[in-house]
Amino acid sequence: MAPQSGILYVTMQPQPSLPTLQFHDWYNNEHGPSRLRLPFIQNGFRYRASDLSPSHHEERPEWLAIYDVTDMDELIREPYISLRRPPIQTSRERDTMKLIKIDRKFFDLVDSQQASAFRMLEDVENAEMRNVMVAVSIVPLPGKKEEVDGWYREEHIEMLSRIPGWLRSRRFVTATIEGKDTIECVALHEFAPDNGLGGEKLEAALNTPRSKSVMRDVVKQMTRRTYDLSYTFGPAPRDLSTLSSPFASYDGQTKTYPALGGGTSRGAIESYVSTKDGVTIPFKIEGSTDPHAPLIVLCNSILVDHGIWDAFVTSFLAQPQNQRYRIVRYLQRGRSSACGTLPITIDVLAADVVALLDALRVPCAAAVIGVSLGGATALNVGLRYAARTAALVACDTSAKSPAGNSKAWGERIAVAEQQQDAESAVGGDKIVGDQLADMTVRRWFVEDSYDDDGGAREREMQRVRAMVAANSLEGFRRSVRALFEYDMQPLLPACTTKALFVVGSRDGLLPKSMEALAAQTGTAGAPFRVVHGAGHLPMVEKPDHFAAKMTEFLAL
């Protein structure tokens, strides 16, 4: 028997004592995303009532949330029910919910009709679309449900479909899993923001002889509410505009950091996305609090975490013209040993960037910027997923794996394997260790970094060294294979994505090869820039210079 689909339908009225930011922060960044991570919950939407009077009260709640569910039985099973109790349910959630009048209902889907103009709002390409929802609840008199069904099916939906802007009508009935004797019929009618609600066609639909007969002789209780779409959930928290207080999920995988007063810090969210093959990709998003702000994606080199971008992000966002951006950085596959069963290639790494954009509901990034292996990833995203990024910046990288790359990296794996006694602090995962970290940092940084800026760059170099040393050995073994054999050169002439190639002036032979790479990209070549005095990680050694080049490029 096929699973019964339906909806989780939740109305909410916060008490006046509940701070507005706390309410929205909890719902947008904690409650909603945790539901969207369940495979049987297809989507989630928050609506705000548009039919409120100045003296509205809790009997006409202001907020509505709707989640489409593929199998209603899952709502009375684990793991869903575990979300509603400790330890997964946090103290913030319990404390917040005490200050909200909440009415949760389950409804089974009866039928659905839609116009050709209807689009699934949960699809990321429709992230900027909005709709208006008219929700009609009918409790029929005993034995009269079939008459309600017949009225909808034979007359009413067809007449509603004549209203300008009508997109879809779905009908639901009290879910079997509720086990209730009283039946409630709910119809959700979706319209474009520019619509004919309140016009003559709606009046005609409501005032037919049959409509009047149903309301008089069939309906025991009826309510009609009108809502505007307020927020669409994704499986990852992303709403920087509502951060109200520091928060950590029960497992520590999601943390939020509100901005401190006086502009001394930026608000940020740290959380994760899950790829189609089940790999967890941790990320950090910060910057503009505008939920529609353009997003820049930063892709790391191998063996480090996203802390390599710290100084660059600070410098970049310090410029007024850049404060309109959000920035997301993440940990590539291979930072830990939990990197899935797929062979790690630059195609897999590019698909991970797309998975991140999908989870954050970003149809098209403003730019994907990467260095080294991350540079190859950024280039691959721009070549293979041109619709998902407006620009790419590839730093200190190649479009084709250099000859001897597999041998050189194989030797580095062997160096790390010599330190078999090295273990991480968590879980006993073998790590790369100090010997390879020393070799790597000496190769990546120029000599001037050792005794310049009063030791600032030396400290930064040691910070990167610690990142390398702490990388999972197994993750390194797996992810480094992405560098063994790849070739994007045949795709370069057809590149339509706005591109920039950047290199540290003292990064070996790369300045020469990257200048040639830039010339091969697109029909007329792409711009090429050199960060003077930098080695393999120019955003670390020369963050201000690197930020200036990004600012200039993005302004073009």
Side-chain angles (χ1 to χ4, degrees):
M1 184 175 176
Q4 174 64 57
S5 61
I7 55 171
L8 170 59
Y9 185 95
V10 187
T11 58
M12 296 187 180
Q13 184 56 50
Q15 295 179 15
S17 59
L18 177 61
T20 300
L21 281 183
Q22 180 181 334
F23 174 52
H24 294 308
D25 186 12
W26 159 70
Y27 213 49
N28 291 354
N29 290 322
E30 179 183 356
H31 190 83
S34 68
R35 274 67 185 159
L36 267 290
R37 285 177 170 145
L38 298 174
F40 52 86
I41 295 185
Q42 292 181 294
N43 54 46
F45 304 98
R46 290 187 73 194
Y47 286 87
R48 184 175 185 270
S50 58
D51 57 2
L52 298 174
S53 65
S55 59
H56 81 276
H57 52 80
E58 62 184 22
E59 297 308 318
R60 290 178 63 80
E62 183 177 1
W63 296 94
L64 167 67
I66 297 174
Y67 304 85
D68 277 287
V69 181
T70 58
D71 184 352
M72 295 298 289
D73 285 342
E74 294 292 345
L75 297 180
I76 54 174
R77 298 172 179 158
E78 300 287 0
Y80 175 75
I81 58 176
S82 66
L83 296 180
R84 305 182 64 218
R85 62 176 183 243
I88 296 178
Q89 187 187 54
T90 64
S91 59
R92 179 176 78 166
E93 172 152 300
R94 291 192 297 276
D95 292 344
T96 300
M97 292 179 71
K98 290 175 184 176
L99 300 175
I100 307 170
K101 182 178 180 181
I102 299 174
D103 188 10
R104 286 172 71 253
K105 296 180 180 180
F106 301 156
F107 293 102
D108 292 340
L109 178 66
V110 175
D111 61 33
S112 176
Q113 298 178 53
Q114 65 192 49
S116 59
F118 172 76
R119 298 291 182 270
M120 301 291 282
L121 297 186
E122 64 266 35
D123 292 346
V124 68
E125 62 266 28
N126 301 323
E128 300 303 317
M129 296 181 69
R130 294 291 180 267
N131 72 353
V132 172
M133 177 81 74
V134 178
V136 180
S137 167
I138 291 177
V139 177
L141 291 166
K144 297 292 188 178
K145 176 182 174 298
E146 292 303 320
E147 293 185 43
V148 174
D149 289 342
W151 168 66
Y152 270 122
R153 186 174 56 250
E154 297 162 12
E155 177 187 279
H156 194 58
I157 299 297
E158 193 278 330
M159 294 195 72
L160 291 178
S161 70
R162 302 176 191 176
I163 299 172
W166 175 83
L167 296 172
R168 179 170 70 163
S169 289
R170 294 191 293 168
R171 295 197 301 119
F172 302 87
V173 67
T174 299
T176 302
I177 60 172
E178 292 268 38
K180 293 181 178 179
D181 294 330
T182 301
I183 296 297
E184 182 179 1
C185 303
V186 168
L188 301 179
H189 309 294
E190 297 170 58
F191 293 84
D194 184 10
N195 59 64
L197 290 173
E200 61 181 21
K201 292 189 181 297
L202 176 60
E203 287 299 311
L206 296 177
N207 288 288
T208 67
R210 188 170 183 181
S211 292
K212 292 179 179 179
S213 174
V214 167
M215 293 300 125
R216 182 183 64 245
D217 302 327
V218 175
V219 173
K220 178 181 179 181
Q221 179 182 326
M222 190 271 285
T223 59
R224 178 183 287 110
R225 302 295 310 277
T226 304
Y227 299 91
D228 293 326
L229 181 63
S230 173
Y231 193 81
T232 302
F233 296 118
R238 66 182 191 277
D239 188 2
L240 295 167
S241 69
T242 62
L243 299 181
S244 60
S245 60
F247 165 76
S249 61
Y250 82 101
D251 57 6
Q253 289 190 285
T254 295
K255 298 178 181 179
T256 63
Y257 306 91
L260 298 176
T264 55
S265 75
R266 300 179 298 272
I269 298 172
E270 293 179 355
S271 192
Y272 67 94
V273 304
S274 297
T275 65
K276 290 181 179 179
D277 62 320
V279 174
T280 295
I281 306 289
F283 71 86
K284 178 179 182 179
I285 186 170
E286 60 197 309
S288 172
T289 59
D290 180 351
H292 306 292
L295 182 79
I296 295 171
V297 182
L298 304 179
C299 308
N300 309 330
S301 66
I302 198 168
L303 287 171
V304 297
D305 63 39
H306 55 56
I308 64 167
W309 301 97
D310 285 352
F312 159 72
V313 170
T314 297
S315 180
F316 181 81
L317 291 179
Q319 301 302 312
Q321 65 267 44
N322 296 332
Q323 291 168 11
R324 68 188 188 95
Y325 291 106
R326 293 175 295 165
I327 295 178
V328 66
R329 27 187 170 149
Y330 66 101
L331 301 186
Q332 285 188 335
R333 290 184 193 232
R335 182 62 187 166
S336 75
S337 60
C339 47
T341 58
L342 291 176
I344 299 177
T345 65
I346 59 167
D347 287 346
V348 169
L349 297 178
D352 287 347
V353 173
V354 173
L356 182 63
L357 294 175
D358 286 346
L360 295 174
R361 295 191 53 75
V362 176
C364 181
V368 179
I369 302 172
V371 62
S372 191
L373 177 57
T377 301
L379 177 58
N380 203 28
V381 171
L383 293 172
R384 297 187 183 277
Y385 300 97
R388 300 307 301 271
T389 184
L392 72 91
V393 180
C395 311
D396 299 80
T397 193
S398 303
K400 180 179 181 179
S401 51
N405 223 28
S406 59
K407 181 176 182 296
W409 282 107
E411 291 171 351
R412 293 163 196 162
I413 292 173
V415 169
E417 288 175 337
Q418 292 175 7
Q419 291 189 299
Q420 287 299 299
D421 58 334
E423 293 186 354
S424 70
V426 180
D429 193 11
K430 297 289 184 180
I431 61 174
V432 164
D434 294 334
Q435 188 173 352
L436 182 62
D438 288 335
M439 293 172 54
T440 302
V441 168
R442 285 198 299 270
R443 190 174 70 254
W444 282 354
F445 286 81
V446 300
E447 289 185 6
D448 292 350
S449 296
Y450 287 81
D451 55 6
D452 193 39
D453 292 346
R457 274 190 270 172
E458 164 70 13
R459 289 190 294 274
E460 191 70 349
M461 183 189 69
Q462 291 303 322
R463 192 169 72 96
V464 173
R465 177 190 176 280
M467 294 180 196
V468 176
N471 201 95
S472 161
L473 176 57
E474 178 59 22
F476 173 49
R477 288 193 191 103
R478 296 278 311 283
S479 60
V480 76
R481 293 189 172 275
L483 293 166
F484 281 12
E485 189 173 349
Y486 67 89
D487 188 0
M488 293 178 279
Q489 286 184 326
L491 302 177
L492 294 175
C495 179
T496 57
T497 304
K498 174 182 167 183
L500 171 68
F501 295 89
V502 179
V503 69
S505 66
R506 299 175 66 175
D507 194 6
L509 300 175
L510 276 178
K512 182 177 180 180
S513 65
M514 286 200 69
E515 185 174 16
L517 169 58
Q520 299 170 46
T521 302
T523 57
F528 170 68
R529 299 289 183 268
V530 176
V531 180
H532 293 284
H536 194 59
L537 302 178
M539 68 289 305
V540 176
E541 290 187 281
K542 301 285 185 178
D544 294 341
H545 296 181
F546 188 80
K549 294 184 186 305
M550 297 304 102
T551 301
E552 176 189 28
F553 173 65
L554 292 172
L556 295 176

